[in-house]
Amino acid sequence: MKRIKIKELLTSTEFDRQVHVKGWVRTRRGNKNVMFIALNDGSVIHNIQIVVDVSTFDEEQLKLITTGSCIAATGKLVESMGKGQTVEIHATTLEVYGSADSETYPLQKKGHTLEFLREIAHLRPRTNTFGAVFRLRHAMSFAIHKFFNDKGFYYLHTPIITGSDCEGAGAMFRVTTLPPVNPPVNGNGQVDYQEDFFGRETNLTVSGQLEGELGALALSEIYTFGPTFRAENSNTPRHLAEFWMIEPEMVFYDIHDDMDLAEEFLKYLVQYALDNCRDDLEFLNNMYDKELIGRLQFVLDNDFKRITYTEGVEILKKSGQTFEYPVDWGADLQAEHERYLVEKHFERPVILTDYPRDIKAFYMKQNDDGKTVRAMDVLFPRIGEIIGGSERESDYSKLENRMKEMNLPIDEMWWYLETRKFGTAPHSGFGLGFERLLLFVTGMGNIRDVIPFPRTPKNANF
Ligand code: 4AD
Ligand code: MG
């Protein structure tokens, strides 16, 4: 008989038919006459109840049905009289694929801390919390592709191994096949990367933007969605060494168009989650964050406040707050500053524009004041920066001058500069940190809990 997923069965009203389910046992309870199994197959947060008439089964087999075991059950689907479920299965046959020893199964009891669950990343997907988070992660991925596809953007795959560190977004992880001990050295006594796999130094990418720009300058509107890597030693609840980023890049967009797209995109994703992931959101709302659903709705109902960095700094200086890091024009804003603007001052998402050029990347379009660039960062409650983007410098000589000022390797980046030499065009883009989005949408407090296998300093165990 064909297996039916629990999600489908729970909404079914076709009673009294034989059905076949498979999944993992969340709990078993009962007495010597009747046993109740709560079964979950990951298709939905809820379990289906399987009612077992103990007298009709082999006692030894029933002993194997422990919390955590994997079983298949066949039986009659009936309307449930019990509280908390609408349907249940009255079992006629049971098959045990794999028992789980109740003495050693780590998820035997409920209520483990998230810290403990991080140590058992191989089993934590079997908890309600991580089931909900990973289903939401899937739904958001799908919604991202849908949003862009519906708008006519093309999904461009940019390389993961790159030969350039032009972004300057953070320290990079080297990719090499040279032996760690006694690598070949050149005449200057330095490692000779000409002997390396690619015949040059290569790293894992920190961003797909520069290659994304090449795509946009041909296909008009593209987006990337892939893993990015940053070897910064930032052990915070908002940083990963390996995270996923979505980077749309659009020709003929100025910074205002860029901001409009970013706001529409974030609202679309939040709306998608509310429309399609209600059960999981309600679970997370009840278990972790009573304001989660309210906060999601709030983002939909309010325009994002758009102000310049300079205005933001003035507000922070006048705020009378004591911050851990001082606020001064020219310094990068810390999460505490961003969150003050969003949570206390404006009480809504904020988009800050026109940052000092010295704290932003070389490719951002320079303003006429000679001091600021057309950057835009979207700041969110609880998260701080969720999106970073800008209008790009499309003028060849301004870009080249800026690269020289910043001592960037111009001869290695000839390909990027050539886009401004041949048919240059105004264009803009931004990067959304996928896990930061998920922090917001799930209400989880630590970025390690919204990615299946987090990579952070001193942690890449499995
Ligand atoms: O602001 P960032 O560094 O911008 C870029 O990389 C540009 N190339 C984007 C573009 O214009 N196409 O990173 C973009 C976003 C941040 O706003 C943040 O949400 C996320 O990526 N991010 C991180 N997320 C998790 N862990 C980290 N270490 C992150 N660093 C950045
Ligand atoms: Mg940034």
Side-chain angles (χ1 to χ4, degrees), residues 167 169 206-209 230 232 234 238-241 243 245-249 360 363 377 385-390 392 429-436 447:
E167 169 77 16
V206 295
S207 155
Q209 178 196 325
R230 297 192 186 177
E232 297 149 285
S234 11
R238 283 182 299 277
H239 287 87
L240 289 165
F243 64 99
M245 186 153 52
I246 300 98
E247 296 185 273
E249 191 71 34
K360 288 292 184 189
Y363 51 69
D377 279 9
E385 179 190 337
I386 194 164
I387 278 181
S390 74
R392 318 306 188 190
F430 61 79
L432 167 67
F434 187 48
E435 287 75 18
R436 299 235 176 132
I447 201 161

Side-chain angles (χ1 to χ4, degrees), residues 83 124 191 216 232 361 444:
K83 251 181 69 189
R124 70 176 182 170
V191 176
E232 297 149 285
M444 299 301 282

Side-chain angles (χ1 to χ4, degrees), residues 19 35 48 57 67 90-91 124 132 136 146 154 184 300 350 356 363:
V19 294
M35 182 171 132
I48 196 156
F57 286 91
T67 298
H90 290 183
R124 70 176 182 170
L136 272 155
K146 179 160 169 52
Y154 296 110
L300 293 180
V350 173
Y363 51 69

Side-chain angles (χ1 to χ4, degrees), residues 146-404:
K146 179 160 169 52
F147 176 83
F148 286 122
N149 184 63
D150 288 353
K151 281 190 174 296
F153 283 54
Y154 296 110
Y155 181 26
L156 189 78
H157 294 105
T158 51
I160 287 171
I161 300 174
T162 68
S164 57
D165 173 20
C166 356
E167 169 77 16
M172 303 185 91
F173 291 102
R174 181 162 302 150
V175 176
T176 180
T177 54
L178 292 178
V181 180
N182 294 328
V185 285
N186 59 24
N188 304 324
Q190 286 159 337
V191 176
D192 187 359
Y193 287 106
Q194 283 180 9
E195 298 285 315
D196 206 346
F197 187 91
F198 295 106
R200 58 168 303 155
E201 210 177 324
T202 49
N203 296 288
L204 294 178
T205 187
V206 295
S207 155
Q209 178 196 325
L210 301 190
E211 295 89 351
E213 285 185 52
L214 313 182
L217 286 159
L219 299 167
S220 287
E221 290 163 331
I222 63 93
Y223 69 104
T224 72
F225 185 0
T228 47
F229 307 86
R230 297 192 186 177
E232 297 149 285
N233 205 355
S234 11
N235 235 325
T236 82
R238 283 182 299 277
H239 287 87
L240 289 165
E242 176 180 299
F243 64 99
W244 288 63
M245 186 153 52
I246 300 98
E247 296 185 273
E249 191 71 34
M250 302 75 64
V251 281
F252 318 128
Y253 275 51
D254 67 12
I255 192 175
H256 303 287
D257 304 322
D258 203 28
M259 288 191 278
D260 290 346
L261 184 74
E263 182 166 346
E264 184 190 344
F265 180 44
L266 288 168
K267 286 181 169 168
Y268 177 91
L269 296 176
V270 168
Q271 184 73 60
Y272 189 92
L274 286 169
D275 290 347
N276 295 279
C277 310
R278 200 74 202 190
D279 287 354
D280 290 325
L281 288 177
E282 272 167 13
F283 171 81
L284 294 166
N285 192 89
N286 294 341
M287 292 298 289
Y288 291 100
D289 181 354
K290 296 275 185 276
E291 283 152 31
L292 173 62
I293 292 177
R295 205 182 306 112
L296 297 180
Q297 193 58 50
F298 183 78
V299 161
L300 293 180
D301 295 342
N302 286 281
D303 290 341
F304 297 3
K305 180 73 190 174
R306 302 179 185 189
I307 59 165
T308 65
Y309 165 92
T310 304
E311 288 165 333
V313 166
E314 273 159 22
I315 292 168
L316 290 165
K317 283 190 149 175
K318 285 196 205 128
S319 69
Q321 294 278 312
T322 38
F323 295 112
E324 194 182 331
Y325 294 89
V327 191
D328 257 319
W329 198 97
D332 216 350
L333 296 184
Q334 303 294 323
E336 56 174 340
H337 307 133
E338 296 172 341
R339 292 184 58 179
Y340 176 83
L341 291 173
V342 172
E343 291 165 23
K344 300 269 163 48
H345 191 83
F346 290 111
E347 296 185 328
R348 61 173 71 187
V350 173
I351 311 185
L352 279 189
T353 60
D354 303 287
Y355 280 73
R357 65 175 203 158
D358 292 336
I359 57 170
K360 288 292 184 189
F362 74 96
Y363 51 69
M364 295 191 181
K365 185 175 171 67
Q366 297 169 42
N367 281 323
D368 292 338
D369 63 10
K371 289 191 304 197
T372 58
V373 287
R374 313 223 89 189
M376 66 102 180
D377 279 9
V378 181
L379 315 179
F380 253 39
R382 290 178 77 249
I383 312 294
E385 179 190 337
I386 194 164
I387 278 181
S390 74
E391 187 168 342
R392 318 306 188 190
E393 184 55 76
S394 55
D395 181 275
Y396 183 90
S397 39
K398 282 188 188 162
L399 183 63
E400 189 185 38
N401 286 339
R402 187 68 188 136
M403 290 170 73
K404 281 185 188 151

Side-chain angles (χ1 to χ4, degrees), residues 28-37 49-57 62 88-91:
R28 62 169 278 183
R29 56 191 181 83
N31 52 43
K32 60 181 184 336
N33 302 319
V34 60
M35 182 171 132
F36 299 100
I37 300 168
Q49 173 157 284
I50 298 171
V51 185
V52 181
D53 176 354
V54 172
S55 65
T56 58
F57 286 91
L62 293 186
E88 60 190 25
I89 295 170
H90 290 183

